[in-house]
Amino acid sequence: MLSLRYPAGYPVDGFIFFKAMSQDGASQFQEVIRQELELSVKKELEKILTTASSHEFEHTKKDLDGFRKLFHRFLQEKGPSIQPYEKIKARGLPDNISSVLNKLVVVKLNGGLGTSMGCKGPKSLIGVRNENTFLDLTVQQIEHLNKTYNTDVPLVLMNSFNTDEDTKKILQKYNHCRVKIYTFNQSRYPRINKESLLPVAKDVSYSGENTEAWYPPGHGDIYASFYNSGLLDTFIGEDNLGATVDLYILNHLMNPPNGKRCEFVMEVTNKTRADVKGGTLTQYEGKLRLVEIAQVPKAHVDEFKSVSKFKIFNTNNLWISLGAVKRLQEQNAIDMEIIVNPKTLDGGLNVIQLETAVGAAIKSFENSLGINVPRSRFLPVKTTSDLLLVMSNLYSLNAGSLTMSEKREFPTVPLVKLGSSFTKVQDYLRRFESIPDMLELDHLTVSGDVTFGKNVSLKGTVIIIANHGDRIDIPPGAVLENKIVSGNLRILDH
């Protein structure tokens, strides 16, 4: 039995052959199938393009051309140097740090919706601290830099078609801030039917029934979209792309100790139990490569998750030379592994979307480097469990930056697991009268119908489980230290 396989061992349901063939015959047959499929996809995309209006035509054509290249690679594919942050920081900062900062452009990925946490609109507009959103904090950080060092570091947001409109409306509130803000849109690619491998979309619209037919193709699309937007050429003199600014890392890039500039730097940090799925760096053929869990065969997933074997993971804080991006983009030389992401649409149709990850391009750049940074440089918020951490007294807020509180005795972050009753931000906020004191917390698990009163303190390991039909109200002022709470506990008003 022979099956045609996609990258990462993804089987194609429609092509399973029960007749044995020679290796050459099989390869020729598979090549014919590939060519026919590419031709079919080309025809479908051309049909879609004919539905574009005159003002939509150019950018839609670029998007569909980009998708065709990605799809071609998808059919064709067959189956580190790490510096400690302390060493980079020990070099100190030069007197001309302002001129170094003026060679920086800060780019934030802003294409994601807050749907996984029950929110409508961009995830960056979710409130974090004192009614400040993630976007507010980002603007405050850069404004503080510009005021402190008398610089003009710009902020660039990569929106998606899902977030662009809402983001542009909210940007008006920053008109008087000392930060120039620019936006561009990442590409819009068509989802493909898992069975036929043809696009689901029939025209260019993304409203009504066609809403689910399109998707933003992952953050690896930043290179092509940034180039196509014209902003890359606008900022080429600035020299470096960065995420969350660190002056010591920036100085290391602009003034390398060995005189050899790094074109790509990835911030990594030590793995904890909460990060076992994070991508890691490996060295192969003299180049750094990013390995994501989606690329790992099932038999080796537990090995990949091992904290002892793979000690670091990618934080997705990246520093990239703009000149190098321009050179590689024009040479069509940015190579990123394809991530095949299966989805089921609301109507039950099984589709796949082809994505790439921004960090996977590391192998395409010269003299790439990983820097092992403190955990405090990495504050992901993908769930309400993460949100609880950043809203708590574990972190102090200063000029838009969240830093671990000096009152926390351990540098590690507690492991927090909130159950399904807390998934949506609205429900999560309703269940906390105030955010508990978590300075001495190691581990928190909450499951079921649980609420917290004001001024609750959590220490050590705390597990609270309300079984189906039960409810637990943690009373105001309660101190839970190394406790398991289960059953039914109601605090009634009288």
Side-chain angles (χ1 to χ4, degrees):
M1 185 176 75
L2 173 71
S3 66
L4 178 64
R5 290 189 171 270
Y6 289 128
Y10 192 90
V12 185
D13 298 81
F15 302 107
I16 298 179
F17 313 109
F18 293 92
K19 184 177 179 182
M21 331 181 170
S22 70
Q23 189 69 35
D24 288 344
S27 297
Q28 290 172 7
F29 187 72
Q30 289 178 19
E31 184 57 35
V32 170
I33 292 292
R34 286 193 191 100
Q35 289 175 4
E36 289 181 353
L37 190 51
E38 282 205 67
L39 185 60
S40 297
V41 168
K42 180 174 180 284
K43 289 178 179 177
E44 289 295 316
L45 295 178
E46 286 171 351
K47 285 181 191 175
I48 293 171
L49 188 58
T50 61
T51 70
S53 64
S54 57
H55 75 275
E56 292 175 313
F57 187 85
E58 283 303 321
H59 70 79
T60 301
K61 186 175 185 301
K62 284 182 180 178
D63 283 352
L64 296 184
D65 286 346
F67 175 78
R68 273 187 63 196
K69 289 177 184 176
L70 185 64
F71 189 79
H72 174 77
R73 285 182 45 219
F74 166 64
L75 294 181
Q76 292 297 323
E77 287 190 11
K78 303 177 174 69
S81 174
I82 310 292
Q83 282 267 21
Y85 177 77
E86 291 72 21
K87 182 177 179 181
I88 287 169
K89 189 175 181 179
R91 293 182 61 205
L93 295 175
D95 293 335
N96 67 335
I97 193 64
S98 295
S99 63
V100 174
L101 270 169
N102 278 326
K103 292 185 176 293
L104 177 69
V105 178
V106 175
V107 179
K108 291 283 186 178
L109 307 179
N110 191 50
L113 294 168
T115 47
S116 63
M117 292 191 280
C119 295
K120 293 181 180 179
K123 185 174 157 186
S124 61
L125 303 185
I126 293 175
V128 190
R129 276 290 187 86
N130 307 329
E131 299 185 356
N132 285 309
T133 65
F134 290 110
L135 185 54
D136 290 335
L137 298 188
T138 298
V139 172
Q140 288 170 25
Q141 288 170 21
I142 300 173
E143 184 176 43
H144 177 70
L145 269 179
N146 287 336
K147 287 180 176 178
T148 303
Y149 296 99
N150 194 27
T151 54
D152 196 19
V153 176
L155 169 64
V156 180
L157 301 175
M158 182 172 86
N159 299 334
S160 70
F161 62 90
N162 289 320
T163 63
D164 188 52
E165 189 176 341
D166 287 339
T167 300
K168 283 181 176 175
K169 286 178 184 174
I170 210 74
L171 289 183
Q172 297 173 23
K173 69 186 276 191
Y174 306 118
N175 285 344
H176 301 293
C177 293
R178 189 171 166 176
V179 182
K180 290 179 183 174
I181 303 177
Y182 303 81
T183 66
F184 69 98
N185 270 12
Q186 68 180 121
S187 303
R188 181 169 64 104
Y189 283 0
R191 288 186 167 121
I192 51 182
N193 186 304
K194 186 179 177 183
E195 299 294 332
S196 68
L197 293 183
L198 296 178
V200 175
K202 297 305 177 188
D203 58 60
V204 297
S205 69
Y206 48 96
S207 58
E209 293 182 359
N210 224 25
T211 305
E212 290 189 300
W214 301 89
Y215 71 100
H219 40 58
D221 181 57
I222 188 172
Y223 304 105
S225 292
F226 194 46
Y227 180 87
N228 290 336
S229 73
L231 285 176
L232 178 59
D233 282 330
T234 299
F235 293 124
I236 201 76
E238 311 295 330
D239 207 55
N240 280 285
L241 279 178
T244 304
V245 182
D246 181 279
L247 297 179
Y248 298 102
I249 295 176
L250 180 61
N251 180 50
H252 184 81
L253 293 178
M254 301 306 297
N255 302 299
N258 60 1
K260 190 176 181 182
R261 293 276 293 275
C262 295
E263 290 187 345
F264 192 112
V265 167
M266 176 181 290
E267 293 185 34
V268 297
T269 196
N270 293 338
K271 263 189 182 180
T272 69
R273 290 170 296 169
D275 316 306
V276 292
K277 293 183 178 181
T280 194
L281 283 178
T282 60
Q283 191 95 14
Y284 181 70
E285 294 182 345
K287 294 268 192 176
L288 280 178
R289 290 176 180 252
L290 178 66
V291 180
E292 299 278 9
I293 193 168
Q295 299 167 258
V296 179
K298 286 184 179 179
H300 296 282
V301 165
D302 288 341
E303 189 179 356
F304 177 84
K305 289 181 177 180
S306 167
V307 177
S308 57
K309 183 144 192 174
F310 295 100
K311 294 181 168 61
I312 57 155
F313 73 100
N314 169 29
T315 68
N316 263 342
N317 274 349
L318 307 173
W319 303 73
I320 309 170
S321 162
L322 288 177
V325 173
K326 182 176 172 67
R327 181 189 79 241
L328 292 170
Q329 188 63 34
E330 291 179 345
Q331 294 172 353
N332 197 24
I334 296 181
D335 183 20
M336 294 172 284
E337 288 75 20
I338 297 170
I339 300 166
V340 179
N341 191 354
K343 297 275 185 181
T344 301
L345 303 186
D346 287 345
L349 180 67
N350 290 322
V351 300
I352 56 176
Q353 51 191 53
L354 307 181
E355 302 176 2
T356 53
V358 61
I362 189 170
K363 63 181 178 291
S364 301
F365 291 82
E366 295 300 320
N367 199 29
S368 297
L369 178 68
I371 297 180
N372 192 345
V373 299
R375 178 75 191 200
S376 57
R377 291 276 297 159
F378 179 66
L379 285 176
V381 180
K382 295 182 178 179
T383 65
T384 50
S385 299
D386 300 327
L387 191 59
L388 179 63
L389 289 169
V390 299
M391 291 180 76
S392 75
N393 60 347
L394 285 165
Y395 293 96
S396 302
L397 179 62
N398 182 31
S401 295
L402 290 165
T403 54
M404 183 70 78
S405 170
E406 293 179 356
K407 295 178 182 177
R408 171 81 171 169
E409 292 185 8
F410 310 104
T412 55
V413 179
L415 186 62
V416 173
K417 295 179 180 179
L418 300 179
S420 57
S421 298
F422 293 79
T423 300
K424 295 183 177 180
V425 172
Q426 188 175 354
D427 294 335
Y428 153 86
L429 293 173
R430 182 173 54 81
R431 292 181 176 277
F432 289 98
E433 282 195 54
S434 68
I435 303 299
D437 173 0
M438 296 167 55
L439 283 172
E440 297 178 47
L441 179 68
D442 295 322
H443 181 131
L444 173 66
T445 294
V446 184
S447 178
D449 188 1
V450 179
T451 64
F452 293 78
K454 287 184 178 180
N455 303 319
V456 171
S457 183
L458 306 173
K459 302 180 180 184
T461 296
V462 178
I463 300 172
I464 306 170
I465 300 174
N467 295 320
H468 182 69
D470 291 342
R471 174 170 163 175
I472 296 176
D473 294 331
I474 304 300
V479 178
L480 301 181
E481 183 171 4
N482 296 322
K483 297 289 184 187
I484 298 176
V485 182
S486 62
N488 199 35
L489 176 64
R490 296 293 304 274
I491 307 295
L492 301 175
D493 293 330
H494 61 84

